[in-house]
């Protein structure tokens, strides 16, 4: 489904601030895989996600989505395959536009946009039904501007928008990190249910080790631009947070007293 | 204010309102302060006047003026998107280049359209319209343009254009090429501005190389005045508001002239209108937060009425 072959990305190349953000990363995701990605700050998790999304071009290596080489495609062309939810709840929606306008824009992700009225009354019925799934009462607020919503509501809406048109790949970049714990759990539960409902191939970056083990079917750990751990199946089922920290210590050659470094 | 002055003011206001709709598209919808407006307004006037004195059909000349403005907008858009020049500088470069281009188009610093056939003289020939031809034609024009812009902003493309001005990252991740959106927005905007320029030139019966100076500020002032007086609760209302703002701006200018200021003082007056409009939200917020705090002390809650 997603094949990442030996990608390298170097920031500030040739300067004193040179940093190898991705150092020959290879990864293969099967269709329906839900992989959680952990690692300390600067490990390259978000860089890997952004490289797949097309925020920047990679210095070496190739990226394939269902056999299509997307390495050279700009971000807006990759949108045909990819849906995203960002860490910042403000980034996933257009605040000055209404809930229904945001939703119909997402519904045409990766499609040609036409010179026809974007929202008909028929669309409204469909959008309302979709919003009901969130259980946040947003179905009564279709024509409200998104700026009136809370961070958690906006993140839930973004997640819904990401799946209105089933993506081949769902990218989640610490999408619960900016929310309070209760809302974060709610959004995570929603993530689980939408991913399961449409068997989405999902790539979720998180700082929360508990989330990383509880959701999805596979966990990878990154360190200094490389994947240092890749567990799934029974090995993952028997894994604990302590076990993860220990493996991090072994694989990275660093000893961690607690999980602060990973959670930081 | 006498009826003659008032009707003249309203006529002018309706023509300038077309320009204001153009400025609204860039300034508010795309969130892009486009200074090429100063040049493209004159470009529209120059193209129309030159074609008319050369004997072309004035309606054709007006259409050509729109096309010229579209080209100017595309030029600004390409400078910004393809060559990564900042919005302000892209606009200034186009505006500066257009000053020379406009003089080239006209061949001299101004062209008189006295006693030539214009769209307005055509309209005067219609029954019952002798005295009101300018008013009626301008009103019909601005209503048609306002309606089309309103409908356009609610299409799928229109939504993508608005989202480009609101959240570039979001709309890119929805698969929209924001460079195309920006170029398109600038093209329509400058097309409308040049179109308005050709109307103004035909109404005042001359085109002048300096007639567009300060146009962007007049446009901004009009947009802000309209938004404050009418409101922005929906797209339809906002489009109506900026059109009304364009007319109101001319009325304010006329009142200022009646008070005895010289026409040469107008640019300064306009600048002050924009300064006041830009500064006042900050002052308003301060006043409101003081009032809210006073309210909170009394135990009133403002939380549930945002």
């Amino acid at each position: 489904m997603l094949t990442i072959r030996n990608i390298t990305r170097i920031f500030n190349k040739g300067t004193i601030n040179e940093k190898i953000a991705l150092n020959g990363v290879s990864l293969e995701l099967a269709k329906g895989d839900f992989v959680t990605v952990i690692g300390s700050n600067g490990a390259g998790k978000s860089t890997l996600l952004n490289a797949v999304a097309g925020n920047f071009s990679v210095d070496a290596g190739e990226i394939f989505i269902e056999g299509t080489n997307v390495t050279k495609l700009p971000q807006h062309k990759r949108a045909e395959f990819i849906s995203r939810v960002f860490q910042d709840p403000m980034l996933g929606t257009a605040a000055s536009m209404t809930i229904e306008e945001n939703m119909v824009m997402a519904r045409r992700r990766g499609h040609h946009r036409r010179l026809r009225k974007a929202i008909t009354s028929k669309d409204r019925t469909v959008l309302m039904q979709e919003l009901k799934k969130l259980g946040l009462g947003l179905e009564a607020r279709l024509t409200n501007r998104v700026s009136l919503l809370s961070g958690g509501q906006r993140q839930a809406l973004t997640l819904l928008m990401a799946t209105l048109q089933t993506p081949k790949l769902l990218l989640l970049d610490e999408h619960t990190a900016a929310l309070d714990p209760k809302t974060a759990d709610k959004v995570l539960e929603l993530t689980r249910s939408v991913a399961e409902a449409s068997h989405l191939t999902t790539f979720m970056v998180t700082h929360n080790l508990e989330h990383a083990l509880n959701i999805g079917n596979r966990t990878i750990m990154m360190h200094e631009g490389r994947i240092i751990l890749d567990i799934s199946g029974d090995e993952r089922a028997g894994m604990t947070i302590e076990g993860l920290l220990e493996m991090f210590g072994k694989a990275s050659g660093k000893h961690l007293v607690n999980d602060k470094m990973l959670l930081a | 204010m006498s009826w003659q002055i008032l009707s003249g003011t309203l006529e002018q206001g309706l023509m300038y309102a077309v320009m204001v709709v153009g400025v609204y598209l860039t300034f508010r919808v795309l969130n892009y302060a486009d200074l090429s407006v100063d040049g493209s307004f004159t470009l529209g006037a120059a193209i129309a006047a030159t074609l008319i004195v050369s004997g072309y059909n004035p309606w054709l000349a007006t259409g050509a003026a729109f096309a010229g403005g579209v080209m100017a907008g595309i030029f600004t858009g390409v400078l910004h998107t393809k060559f990564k020049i900042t919005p302000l500088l892209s606009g200034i470069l186009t505006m500066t280049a257009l000053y020379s281009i406009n003089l080239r188009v006209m061949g001299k610093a101004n062209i008189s359209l006295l006693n030539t056939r214009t769209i307005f003289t055509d309209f005067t020939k219609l029954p019952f319209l002798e005295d009101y031809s300018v008013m009626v034609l301008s009103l019909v024009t601005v209503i048609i343009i306002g309606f089309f812009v309103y409908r356009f902003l609610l299409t799928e493309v229109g939504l993508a254009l608005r989202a480009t001005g609101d959240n570039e990252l979001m709309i890119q991740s929805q698969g929209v090429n924001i460079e195309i959106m920006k170029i398109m927005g600038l093209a329509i905007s400058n097309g409308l501005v040049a179109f308005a320029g050709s109307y103004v030139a035909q109404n005042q019966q001359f085109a002048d190389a300096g007639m567009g100076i300060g146009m962007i500020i007049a446009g901004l002032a009009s947009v802000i005045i309209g938004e404050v007086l009418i409101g922005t609760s929906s797209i339809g209302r906002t489009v109506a508001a900026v059109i009304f703002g364009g007319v109101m701006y001319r009325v304010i200018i006329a009142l200022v002239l009646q008070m005895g200021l010289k026409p040469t003082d107008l640019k300064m007056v306009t600048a002050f209108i924009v300064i006041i409009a830009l500064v006042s939200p900050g002052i308003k917020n301060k006043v409101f937060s003081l009032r809210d705090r006073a309210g909170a002390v009394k135990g009133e809650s403002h939380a549930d009425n945002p």
Side-chain angles (χ1 to χ4, degrees):
Chain A
M1 168 54 232
L2 171 70
T3 306
I4 297 172
R5 217 175 273 160
N6 241 330
I7 60 170
T8 297
R9 169 71 192 183
I10 302 168
F11 288 124
N12 305 316
K13 203 171 184 174
T15 71
I16 196 158
N17 292 322
E18 182 171 299
K19 173 163 170 46
I20 303 177
L22 294 174
N23 191 357
V25 173
S26 293
L27 181 70
E28 176 90 42
L29 293 194
K31 206 173 163 104
D33 259 358
F34 190 134
V35 61
T36 57
V37 187
I38 51 175
S40 53
N41 275 339
K45 311 178 298 284
S46 292
T47 312
L48 180 58
L49 185 142
N50 287 332
V52 174
N55 282 31
F56 46 73
S57 56
V58 293
D59 296 313
E62 285 178 317
I63 302 167
F64 294 85
I65 298 175
E66 275 199 341
T68 310
N69 189 340
V70 299
T71 320
K72 295 251 154 43
L73 288 185
Q75 188 185 356
H76 65 89
K77 293 225 170 105
R78 295 191 203 187
E80 191 185 329
F81 312 102
I82 297 173
S83 276
R84 301 180 71 174
V85 182
F86 304 92
Q87 176 175 3
D88 182 347
M90 304 302 143
L91 290 181
T93 44
S96 68
M97 299 171 71
T98 63
I99 293 180
E100 58 179 12
E101 283 172 340
N102 273 278
M103 289 176 78
V104 292
M105 283 195 283
R107 219 167 46 156
R108 288 208 63 82
R109 176 176 48 77
H111 285 272
H112 190 70
R113 282 165 210 264
R114 301 160 298 186
L115 263 180
R116 65 151 72 161
K117 201 165 179 238
I119 307 170
T120 61
S121 54
K122 215 170 101 192
D123 293 323
R124 283 211 174 90
T125 327
V126 179
L127 297 180
M128 268 186 176
Q129 272 161 2
E130 291 289 339
L131 278 170
K132 269 190 192 137
K133 290 183 194 164
L134 295 180
L136 295 171
L138 293 182
E139 61 272 14
R141 302 173 64 184
L142 272 184
T143 54
N144 275 15
R145 284 187 188 162
V146 169
S147 55
L148 296 175
L149 305 185
S150 69
Q153 287 172 325
R154 281 180 79 162
Q155 208 65 327
L157 177 63
T158 309
L159 194 59
L160 180 68
M161 283 163 55
T163 56
L164 279 179
Q165 146 114 239
T166 312
K168 297 210 184 304
L169 182 64
L170 176 62
L171 300 179
L172 308 170
D173 189 2
E174 296 183 43
H175 68 306
T176 60
L179 307 176
D180 65 83
K182 213 173 131 195
T183 317
D185 284 346
K186 226 177 184 174
V187 170
L188 200 70
E189 199 41 56
L190 188 67
T191 309
R192 192 199 306 269
S193 65
V194 295
E196 266 171 23
S198 355
H199 304 288
L200 292 178
T201 312
T202 308
F203 185 97
M204 177 175 120
V205 173
T206 179
H207 265 129
N208 188 317
L209 298 186
E210 201 187 316
H211 290 172
L213 290 175
N214 286 345
I215 193 169
N217 64 340
R218 187 173 166 191
T219 298
I220 64 176
M221 186 188 281
M222 294 190 67
H223 184 64
E224 290 178 347
R226 283 175 298 117
I227 293 175
I228 56 169
L229 181 75
D230 186 346
I231 54 172
S232 55
D234 291 343
E235 191 186 2
R236 182 169 181 270
M239 184 58 73
T240 59
I241 293 177
E242 290 71 29
L244 269 184
L245 293 170
E246 199 179 304
M247 293 193 94
F248 178 80
K250 255 190 241 160
S252 67
K254 284 183 185 169
H255 182 67
L256 290 179
V257 182
N258 55 34
D259 62 357
K260 283 245 172 68
M261 259 183 93
L262 270 173
L263 294 172
Chain B
M1 208 189 288
S2 73
W3 168 243
Q4 205 180 359
I5 294 176
L6 183 66
S7 72
T9 304
L10 291 179
E11 286 164 5
Q12 273 203 329
L14 291 167
M15 282 176 227
Y16 279 99
V18 174
M19 178 274 293
V20 177
V21 172
V23 171
Y24 160 72
L25 282 177
T26 45
F27 181 57
R28 282 296 190 231
V29 175
L30 271 183
N31 196 13
Y32 187 116
D34 174 31
L35 299 193
S36 23
V37 164
D38 277 25
S40 47
F41 187 82
T42 316
L43 178 68
I47 291 176
T50 307
L51 288 178
I52 287 171
V53 292
S54 316
Y56 284 92
N57 181 306
W59 299 91
L60 183 83
T62 308
F66 179 80
V70 167
M71 299 298 286
I74 291 174
F75 186 75
T76 305
V78 168
L79 286 184
H80 171 58
T81 58
K82 303 294 177 197
F83 303 113
K84 310 294 173 210
I85 300 172
T86 58
L88 277 182
L89 194 52
S90 305
I92 292 171
L93 288 169
T94 307
M95 178 182 83
T96 308
L98 278 175
Y99 189 79
S100 300
I101 292 170
N102 292 336
L103 285 170
R104 279 269 180 187
V105 169
M106 295 196 288
K108 50 190 173 183
N110 52 59
I111 292 179
S112 166
L113 292 174
L114 280 174
N115 302 320
T116 53
R117 181 187 161 207
T118 67
I119 53 173
F120 297 111
T121 60
D122 273 14
F123 230 64
T124 315
K125 290 179 202 144
L126 296 176
F128 312 116
L129 282 180
E130 297 92 30
D131 292 341
Y132 298 103
S133 64
V134 178
M135 178 91 81
V136 170
L137 182 56
S138 306
L139 184 65
V140 169
T141 305
V142 79
I143 287 175
I144 291 175
I145 286 176
F147 179 73
F148 272 107
V149 167
Y150 160 69
R151 291 300 292 255
F152 169 69
L153 289 175
L154 294 178
T155 62
E156 288 175 3
V157 178
L159 256 54
L161 184 78
R162 287 160 58 203
T164 302
D166 183 302
N167 186 342
E168 289 188 9
L169 186 61
M170 175 266 183
I171 197 64
Q172 267 179 305
S173 73
Q174 302 296 351
V176 169
N177 185 342
I178 57 166
E179 296 188 350
I180 299 287
M181 284 297 140
K182 287 183 178 177
I183 293 172
M184 185 182 73
L186 285 162
I188 300 173
S189 164
N190 281 286
L192 290 177
V193 170
F195 187 76
S198 75
Y199 265 58
V200 169
Q202 293 178 69
N203 181 42
Q204 66 188 19
Q205 297 179 319
F206 72 89
D208 178 277
M211 68 191 278
I213 296 174
M215 203 48 66
I216 179 66
I217 297 298
L220 297 186
S222 307
V223 168
I224 295 167
I225 290 170
E227 286 178 344
V228 169
L229 292 180
I230 305 285
T232 58
S233 59
S234 69
I235 289 294
R237 188 166 183 159
T238 311
V239 172
V242 299
I243 290 172
F244 181 75
V247 178
M248 268 319 283
Y249 170 76
R250 286 291 141 188
V251 172
I252 293 172
I253 292 296
L255 287 174
V256 169
L257 287 176
Q258 294 263 301
M259 281 160 51
L261 279 176
K262 290 182 191 156
T264 45
D265 294 332
L266 287 183
K267 303 266 187 259
M268 183 185 69
V269 173
T270 310
F272 273 108
I273 293 176
V274 174
I275 291 171
I276 292 167
L278 291 177
V279 171
S280 61
I283 296 170
K284 205 164 88 181
N285 285 344
K286 265 187 197 149
V287 173
F288 272 116
S289 71
L290 282 176
R291 216 172 63 183
D292 280 0
R293 228 174 291 159
V297 171
K298 284 182 212 144
E300 293 168 13
S301 166
H302 292 261
D304 48 9
N305 39 13

